[in-house]
Amino acid sequence: MPPEALFYAAMAAAALSAASAAWLVLSARPSGEVLVAGGRREAGEAGALMGIALRLARALAPLHRGAAETPSGRELEKKLIKAGRPFGMTVAEFLCLRYVGAAAGALVGWMLSTQATATGEVDFTYVVPLAIFGSLYPQLRLNAGIRRRQLRIFRDLPYVLDLLTLSTEAGQDFSSAMAMVVDKGPPGPLVDEFRIAHQEVTLGKTRTEALRAMASRIDVPELTSFVLALIQAGELGSSVGRVLRIMAEQMRVKRSSLAEEAAGKVPVKLMAPLILLIFPASFIVLFVPLYLRSQLSGGF
């Protein structure tokens, strides 16, 4: 193999290794979300780009005025609620956001195709895949937002249950305990949902209705089990504090077991990056100088 080819291969492997490390660091970084207008948006340049896309989507929203009444629209509405209503989007705005994403992907594909072809003609092998990806990207982000929000709620649930337990065992009723969670609980989607439930109880809803509505919005099995156990304890006249303490212990044990399971999967997940990126780059860095020296000196 020519020395130039080995040099380019070393550079490519090093670039792939650096890109993999950067992706791992950025994926583990906090998302930097802020709460605005009933939804969450990411700060920084992505927020500005998303703002432009949202303005375009809201301008096109009348095209899907009755979409929320269809079966697919109702299913999409449930997903938006589970995601915490990101950016305050409605069903019509989300559907139109997919059009904006498709147009943006087609525009990027057109720019790449004109740069790739010497004649400047449009190559649809660039345009069509990027347009399809741009149309699917909002749905992918929505599903990822649902998973991230549910995971955050699952992690915060033991702390919130401990705070509810301490408040009820101190002599407060459950409504006052919910107010304590809203005021003193860890900031996050779970406390936001408790704030909504507490407001509903204050406005006249029964505690059972407010808790069932909260469990339906979040759709986390552990929280649903907690709500059902709490409702059953209230109907049977059992001690709410005792039920809360048992549920908090169960949530903590389950979270620890899931953390241990995730830690056990790390070595298996690291095998692919090690084999594909790090090992080739290491071998090239170690053996290319020896090969080049042998070529320049006429052999080993």
Side-chain angles (χ1 to χ4, degrees):
M1 182 182 291
E4 294 82 1
L6 287 174
F7 175 75
Y8 290 132
M11 290 293 98
L16 286 173
S17 300
S20 176
W23 179 80
L24 290 172
V25 171
L26 292 175
S27 63
R29 193 176 56 177
S31 59
E33 292 179 341
V34 292
L35 187 67
V36 291
R40 293 185 179 272
R41 66 173 175 84
E42 294 181 357
E45 294 86 0
L49 294 175
M50 191 64 188
I52 296 172
L54 279 174
R55 280 192 284 270
L56 293 174
R58 283 166 182 157
L60 298 173
L63 296 176
H64 289 281
R65 186 175 289 108
E69 305 302 326
T70 62
S72 59
R74 285 191 288 268
E75 188 67 25
L76 180 57
E77 177 74 14
K78 292 179 181 179
K79 288 186 176 182
L80 290 172
I81 292 173
K82 290 179 187 178
R85 188 73 69 178
F87 307 100
M89 280 189 296
T90 63
V91 173
E93 291 170 356
F94 183 82
L95 292 175
C96 292
L97 186 63
R98 297 185 63 179
Y99 299 157
V100 175
L107 178 61
V108 173
W110 174 77
M111 295 172 61
L112 292 176
S113 67
T114 55
Q115 292 293 326
T117 57
T119 60
E121 296 180 355
V122 178
D123 188 357
F124 286 97
T125 57
Y126 288 89
V127 176
V128 175
L130 286 176
I132 295 174
F133 175 76
S135 175
L136 297 177
Y137 183 71
Q139 186 66 44
L140 298 176
R141 285 297 302 270
L142 179 62
N143 294 335
I146 292 173
R147 291 192 296 269
R148 183 170 60 246
R149 188 170 186 265
Q150 290 179 336
L151 179 60
R152 176 73 181 277
I153 289 172
F154 175 75
R155 289 175 175 174
D156 290 344
L157 189 56
Y159 300 106
V160 172
L161 291 180
D162 286 338
L163 190 54
L164 286 172
T165 302
L166 292 174
S167 300
T168 54
E169 291 182 347
Q172 295 181 346
D173 59 357
F174 191 76
S175 298
S176 301
M178 290 176 65
M180 182 65 68
V181 168
V182 171
D183 293 335
K184 305 296 184 181
L190 183 57
V191 173
D192 295 338
E193 292 292 341
F194 267 97
R195 180 179 292 109
I196 295 173
H198 183 257
Q199 290 173 353
E200 290 176 347
V201 172
T202 304
L203 293 175
K205 262 190 177 182
T206 64
R207 186 180 72 184
T208 299
E209 292 174 347
L211 290 176
R212 286 186 184 275
M214 181 179 68
S216 177
R217 287 194 303 270
I218 296 176
D219 195 23
V220 173
E222 291 76 14
L223 184 65
T224 303
S225 300
F226 154 70
V227 168
L228 293 177
L230 192 62
I231 292 173
Q232 187 177 12
E235 292 176 350
L236 298 177
S238 303
S239 174
V240 174
R242 182 172 177 273
V243 172
L244 289 173
R245 184 172 295 279
I246 293 173
M247 293 298 297
E249 292 176 357
Q250 290 179 351
M251 292 300 104
R252 196 174 291 107
V253 170
K254 185 171 184 179
R255 189 179 63 176
S256 300
S257 63
L258 289 177
E260 293 175 357
E261 181 182 352
K265 294 179 180 178
V266 170
V268 178
K269 293 181 178 180
L270 286 177
M271 288 301 296
L274 285 172
I275 294 173
L276 296 177
L277 301 176
I278 298 177
F279 284 166
S282 301
F283 284 129
I284 290 173
V285 170
L286 290 174
F287 294 110
V288 164
L290 297 176
Y291 179 78
L292 293 177
R293 181 180 297 179
S294 68
Q295 292 294 319
L296 293 175
S297 62
F300 286 102

